[in-house]
């Protein structure tokens, strides 16, 4: 293969370098394009733009492959824990036993937020969306734990631990405040997921009894969400991080981007959709027709990168089968989801557009079974994605070609005109 691409523009030929990744993904390097030719590229939704080189996550959307640092998502989901996967994603290698212990201890030691911050929760309206609270509180961490401009390795490790651990504490506390219960503090005796569930559901008058199947399901949910290369929120994290903003603001910007219903907000929308079908008595086939006619969107279907079945959705569907078969845990919404999938997967509309279930299609059913309130679904996604945001931020800030992200545009507004006094305006 040649290592340059030829571009002919206004009669002149330019050689553009080709960049090839370790999985043979190819890109045309246009770093010097504007400088050499005066042209920029246009790419709506950035669907053809490689914004960086990254060694964190590999996705083959056509084949439905997802790997973190080379490890297939199926193996991590089956064998790893969220804390171990977080270490892998952030630091690049599976930890040895001592490294994992040290990392776990650091997460535990960093899990409290400054007590004065707990007062902030009183300032939010009772019905505030927890993603709004989470983004505000994460940004506020910068005022209590200011990060110096030049970070030593130890400081950076501490910031990573603060965020992975405190995002979980803040999330659970915001829920407690929203239901008018006292906050529950993290416990050194509990592991990451158990700790979160305990902070969410125990109270001074009732202990929370852990169900290992629920713990496993939530753990798997978090592992599957740990990173997903240059998605909307991660690109936001890189964009904001490129200005050298402090890491708390950077992660807060990721939370904001994740909130939208085309991105992380879809998991909440899927359950709303399934319950709407259940309660309205509409047939799933009718709903699919409405989605084809654009009267609805089949939430949890379609993906910018996957043009095959999302491998995360496969794993979550499997967990739904096991979890929702337990006595007392059956959910008619699961049957509706499977019927929607079966209908869509035979319909040319979905097949021709390569629209398959994505990670959000089955994840909400798992969170619902764990009694997580619907408006906390995207918060759970944010807890899971925090290691990925941190990994991408670290990778970017340590890379040799680290620059301020500043795209160009093609201006389509009015040409130069001159200020009119009020009396002259028509
Ligand atoms: N239901 C019905 N039609 C759809 C759907 C859907 N869920 N998704 C895409 N289409 C159609 C769309 O109308 C378009 O049709 P046409 O070519 O006739 O105009 C075609 O498929 C291509 O869609 P697109 O919107 O141009 O594709 P995109 O890559 O810009 O959007 C998406 C990807 C995820 C935003 C979109 O598929 C969607 O809105 N899905 C539902 C929301 C959802 O589940 N989001 C979670 C994404 S995965 C988790 C994450 O990464 O955060």
């Amino acid at each position: 293969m040649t290592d340059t691409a030829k571009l002919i523009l206004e009669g002149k030929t330019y050689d553009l370098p080709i960049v090839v990744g370790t999985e043979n993904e190819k890109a045309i390097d246009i770093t010097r394009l504007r400088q050499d030719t005066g042209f920029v590229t246009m790419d709506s939704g950035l669907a053809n733009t490689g914004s960086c080189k990254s060694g964190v996550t590999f996705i083959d959307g056509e084949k439905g492959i997802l790997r973190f640092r080379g490890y297939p998502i199926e193996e991590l989901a089956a064998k790893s824990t969220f804390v171990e996967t977080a270490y892998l994603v952030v630091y690049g290698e599976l930890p040895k036993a001592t490294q994992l212990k040290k990392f776990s201890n650091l997460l535990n030691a960093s899990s409290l937020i400054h007590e004065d911050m707990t007062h902030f929760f009183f300032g939010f309206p009772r019905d505030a969306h927890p993603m709004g609270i989470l983004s505000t509180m994460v940004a506020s961490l910068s005022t209590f734990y200011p990060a110096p401009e030049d970070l030593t390795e130890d400081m950076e490790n501490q910031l990573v631990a603060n965020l992975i651990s405190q995002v979980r504490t803040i999330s659970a506390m915001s829920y407690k405040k929203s239901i008018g219960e006292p906050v529950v503090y993290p416990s050194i005796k509990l592991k990451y997921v158990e700790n979160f569930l305990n902070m969410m559901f125990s109270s001074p008058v009732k202990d929370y009894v852990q169900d290992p199947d629920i713990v496993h399901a939530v753990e798997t949910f978090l592992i599957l969400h740990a990173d997903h290369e240059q998605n909307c929120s991660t690109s936001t994290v890189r964009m904001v991080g490129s200005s050298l903003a402090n890491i708390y603001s950077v992660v807060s910007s990721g939370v904001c981007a994740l909130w939208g219903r085309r991105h992380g907000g879809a998991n909440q929308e899927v359950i709303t959709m399934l319950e709407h079908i259940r309660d309205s008595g509409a047939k799933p086939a009718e709903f699919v027709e409405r989605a084809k006619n654009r009267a609805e969107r089949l939430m949890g279907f379609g993906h910018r990168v996957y043009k095959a079945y999302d491998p995360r959705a496969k794993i979550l569907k499997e967990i739904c089968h096991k979890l929702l078969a337990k006595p007392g845990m059956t959910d008619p919404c699961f049957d509706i989801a499977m019927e929607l999938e079966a209908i869509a997967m035979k319909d040319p509309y979905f097949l021709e557009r390569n629209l398959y279930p994505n990670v959000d299609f089955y994840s909400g059913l798992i969170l619902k079974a764990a009694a997580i309130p619907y408006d906390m679904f995207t918060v759970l996604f944010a807890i899971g994605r925090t290691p990925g945001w941190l990994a991408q931020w670290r990778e970017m800030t340590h890379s040799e070609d680290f620059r301020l992200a500043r795209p160009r545009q093609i201006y389509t507004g009015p040409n130069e005109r001159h200020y009119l006094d009020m009396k002259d305006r028509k």
Side-chain angles (χ1 to χ4, degrees):
M1 197 192 82
T2 62
D3 50 6
T4 57
K6 294 222 177 297
L7 173 70
I8 301 169
L9 265 181
E10 297 173 330
K12 274 183 84 176
T13 303
Y14 300 89
D15 283 327
L16 301 172
I18 302 279
V19 180
V20 185
T22 47
E23 290 288 344
N24 211 24
E25 292 174 300
K26 299 181 194 83
I28 301 166
D29 182 345
I30 56 155
T31 313
R32 289 181 52 86
L33 186 69
R34 187 170 180 279
Q35 199 176 334
D36 291 350
T37 68
F39 282 70
V40 295
T41 54
M42 289 296 287
D43 185 14
S44 155
L46 304 178
N48 304 283
T49 297
S51 61
C52 60
K53 292 179 194 158
S54 177
V56 182
T57 289
F58 172 68
I59 302 175
D60 183 330
E62 275 69 35
K63 294 192 185 135
I65 293 173
L66 170 61
R67 297 184 203 130
F68 296 158
R69 303 286 189 180
Y71 294 99
I73 194 64
E74 293 78 7
E75 290 180 25
L76 294 170
K79 298 181 179 166
S80 188
T81 62
F82 177 62
V83 169
E84 185 185 62
T85 297
Y87 184 100
L88 169 72
V89 166
V90 174
Y91 296 110
E93 294 296 335
L94 283 171
K96 297 193 180 85
T98 48
Q99 291 170 317
L100 185 58
K101 183 102 195 85
K102 196 171 158 201
F103 185 56
S104 283
N105 288 344
L106 189 59
L107 291 182
N108 256 329
S110 315
S111 59
L112 281 175
I113 56 169
H114 195 291
E115 190 61 21
D116 289 352
M117 284 188 79
T118 59
H119 302 299
F120 292 5
F121 290 108
F122 290 106
F124 295 104
R126 191 52 73 76
D127 59 354
H129 196 288
M131 285 296 275
I133 300 179
L134 182 64
S135 58
T136 309
M137 294 297 285
V138 170
S140 311
L141 287 170
S142 65
T143 62
F144 285 86
Y145 308 98
E149 278 186 12
D150 291 319
L151 292 174
T152 62
E153 199 182 324
D154 281 351
M155 284 171 193
E156 197 176 272
N157 291 341
Q158 184 61 60
L159 289 173
V160 165
N162 283 356
L163 276 153
I164 293 177
S165 207
Q166 291 170 358
V167 157
R168 171 193 58 171
T169 308
I170 291 170
S171 301
M173 285 184 173
S174 67
Y175 171 61
K176 281 295 188 196
K177 284 290 170 197
S178 76
I179 56 168
E181 284 190 9
V183 299
V184 176
Y185 290 96
S187 160
I188 194 117
K189 295 189 192 113
L190 295 173
K191 293 190 170 156
Y192 190 95
V193 175
E194 281 99 327
N195 226 329
F196 173 67
L197 293 171
N198 190 59
M199 283 192 273
M200 286 283 292
F201 298 122
S202 72
S203 84
V205 292
K206 197 162 180 250
D207 284 340
Y208 176 68
V209 181
Q210 305 272 352
D211 173 341
D213 292 324
I214 296 283
V215 173
H216 173 255
V218 174
E219 182 108 46
T220 310
F221 171 95
L222 295 178
I223 292 171
L224 298 180
H225 285 78
D227 193 54
H228 212 234
E229 51 119 301
Q230 307 313 316
N231 55 82
C232 176
S233 57
T234 303
S235 299
T236 303
V237 158
R238 281 187 177 257
M239 172 73 85
V240 176
S242 81
S243 77
L244 292 178
N246 71 75
I247 182 60
Y248 299 104
S249 314
V250 168
V251 171
S252 171
S253 73
V255 174
C256 292
L258 186 70
W259 192 354
R261 67 179 180 282
R262 284 188 174 174
H263 189 14
N267 56 14
Q268 184 180 342
E269 298 277 327
V270 170
I271 286 293
T272 310
M273 172 186 80
L274 295 175
E275 292 197 336
H276 165 74
I277 296 173
R278 181 196 65 192
D279 298 341
S280 66
K283 299 227 171 345
E286 287 163 14
F287 190 88
V288 170
E289 279 310 308
R290 286 173 61 74
K292 285 161 60 181
N293 297 329
R294 293 184 171 72
E296 304 278 357
R297 191 149 266 237
L298 187 53
M299 298 309 289
F301 256 72
H303 198 277
R304 175 61 63 78
V305 179
Y306 291 117
K307 301 303 165 201
Y309 209 107
D310 183 333
R312 301 167 299 174
K314 259 188 211 157
I315 297 167
L316 291 169
K317 185 179 178 187
E318 202 51 43
I319 292 185
C320 279
H321 271 299
K322 287 188 191 138
L323 193 64
L324 303 178
K326 284 181 61 160
M329 293 192 90
T330 51
D331 185 344
C333 287
F334 182 40
D335 300 324
I336 294 171
M338 286 194 295
E339 200 177 335
L340 286 171
E341 180 188 331
I343 296 164
M345 291 296 80
K346 281 192 219 116
D347 192 307
Y349 174 95
F350 292 90
L351 297 175
E352 279 159 18
R353 289 171 178 76
N354 296 314
L355 301 171
Y356 293 86
N358 62 48
V359 68
D360 293 321
F361 196 61
Y362 290 106
S363 67
L365 290 162
I366 288 172
L367 299 182
K368 187 175 172 222
I372 307 284
Y374 299 171
D375 62 358
M376 287 289 289
F377 284 9
T378 316
V379 170
L380 269 283
F381 192 153
I383 298 174
R385 185 54 53 84
T386 300
W389 290 331
L390 292 165
Q392 303 271 350
W393 168 78
R394 274 184 90 241
E395 180 177 65
M396 175 184 72
T397 52
H398 289 285
S399 79
E400 278 173 11
D401 56 359
F402 175 34
R403 297 175 76 193
L404 174 75
R406 199 332 186 159
R408 305 294 297 216
Q409 63 166 22
I410 295 297
Y411 175 70
T412 57
N415 294 116
E416 186 180 9
R417 48 187 175 166
H418 295 288
Y419 185 83
L420 292 178
D421 290 334
M422 191 64 82
K423 65 180 170 39
D424 298 326
R425 294 178 205 170
K426 301 249 164 29

